[in-house]
Amino acid sequence: MLLWVAVLLSAPCVENRALLTLQAWPHPVFEGDALTLRCQGRKHAVLSHVRFYKDGSYLPSSEDNPSLTLGTATAASSGQYSCTAQVTYILYAGTQTSETIMVQVQALFPPPVLSAIPFSRPRVGSPLTLRCQTQLHPWRPASRLLFSFYKGGQALTDWDPLPELDIPDVQAEHSGCYRCKAALRAGPVQKDSPLLEIRVWGPAPVSRPVLTLRPPHTILTVGDMVELRCEAERGTPPILYTFYLDGKILGNRSAPLGGATSFLFPVMSQQDAGNYSCQAENSISKESSKPETLCLDGPRVLSAPPSSNRLAPWLSAVLLGVAVTTAALLRYFRPWRKNASRAPPSSLLSKGPQQIVPSHLLGPLPAQNPPPAPGEEQDALYVNAWPSESTSEAEVQSMSTIYQNPLSTL
C-alpha cells in the first residue's frame, strides 16, 4: 500500500520533468561529415510517433525511428533542431518536446584565394605564378586538399596537391580571367576562388589569320564580285594585311586598331581563279592564313568595250591583207600593160577581116573634140589623138600609153 501511494505522489513530478533530449552527432560537425540527429528518452521510457524539426519546420521521417540521418553536412545544415514524441514512462503517458539545440556546421577550410606572383599585370616574356591559397581547420589537420586551375571555364590542370601553376613565359594569349578550386581528397567538399583577371601588357605577336571568301561558295562566274576578308584574332595593332593569289601579291590593307579588313575585286577572267591567301603582320611577328581555292564556272572572259590595244592586232592583219592583195594585182596587170603599149589603139582595128585601104581613099578624119573657143587652149586630154598617115610608130605607142593610164601624164 505504501508503495502505490509513493508512485501516485511522484506522477505529477514526472510530467514536469524533461523526458526527451535531442543530440546531434558528430560534435562538432564539419563540412562533409554525415550529420545524424537522435531523439532519446529517459531510461526505461518508451517513445513512439517521433518527429524532428529544423527552425520550426517538420523534417519528414519515419515516426517509429528515433534517429534521423541528414546526409552530408554543409553550411546550409546549420540551424535550430528539436524533436517530439509520445512518451510512456512508469505511470505517465503523453507527448513530450525536447529542448532546442543549435547545430553549427564548421567550415573545413575557407574558400581559396587566387593570387598572381609577382603581380596580375605581367609583361610579355616574363614569368608568372598563380597560387591557390586556403587553410584546413586546426581540428582537422589530417585532411588533405587537392587543387585545380581554370581559365574562362576551361581546366588548365588536373587535380593536384600542389597549389601553384607556373607560366615561365607569359604571352598575350595568357590574358584573361582565372580561378582555382580546392577540394577535400576523401570527401565531396569543393570550393571555388573569386575570379582573378590577368592582363599581359607589351607588344603581342599576331595570331594566324583566317581568310574568308564572300560569297561563301568558291565556284563563281565572270562578273561576280569577290570579297577577301582576313582577320587575326590577337596581336598588337596596327596590323598590316597582305592578300595573295598563287603566291603573287594582289594588294594590302592596314588595320590601325586591329580586327579584320577586306579586299574587293571583280572576277574578270580565268586568270582570277586559283589559291588565295592572306598574311597578317605587326611589329612583332607575321603569320599566313590557310589558302582558299576559287573556281570559275561559266564564261571564261568578261566582255568589255574594244580598246586601242584590242584593235591593234586586227588592224595590222587587215593592212597586211590589203598590201598583199595590191601587190598581187600589180603583178597581174603589169604584163598586160606592156602588151597593150605595143598594140595600136583598138579603134584602128576592124572587127571583121582586115583590109588595107589606101589613105587617100579615107579622106581627112573628123575632129574628135570641138575646136576651142577663140583665145582658149585645148585640154591635153581631149586633143585629137587619132593617128594620121604621117604618125610614126613611136608616136602611136605614146598615144596608147596615154589612153592606158591618162593620170600618169598629170
Side-chain angles (χ1 to χ4, degrees), residues 166-180:
D166 292 325
I167 305 176
D169 186 14
V170 173
Q171 299 299 322
E173 56 265 25
H174 290 128
S175 295
C177 292
Y178 292 78
R179 62 186 174 92
C180 71

Side-chain angles (χ1 to χ4, degrees), residues 31 295 301 376 407:
E31 295 172 312
C295 300
V301 179
E376 293 183 0
L407 295 179

Side-chain angles (χ1 to χ4, degrees), residues 117 127-131 149 157 162 164-170:
I117 301 171
L128 177 66
T129 299
L130 299 179
R131 179 174 294 170
F149 294 85
T157 63
L162 186 65
E164 293 183 352
L165 173 63
D166 292 325
I167 305 176
D169 186 14
V170 173

Side-chain angles (χ1 to χ4, degrees), residues 383-407:
V383 176
N384 189 353
W386 290 98
S388 62
E389 296 180 353
S390 61
T391 304
S392 65
E393 183 179 354
E395 292 174 338
V396 172
Q397 290 181 356
S398 176
M399 292 179 185
S400 176
T401 302
I402 293 174
Y403 275 109
Q404 294 294 329
N405 192 7
L407 295 179

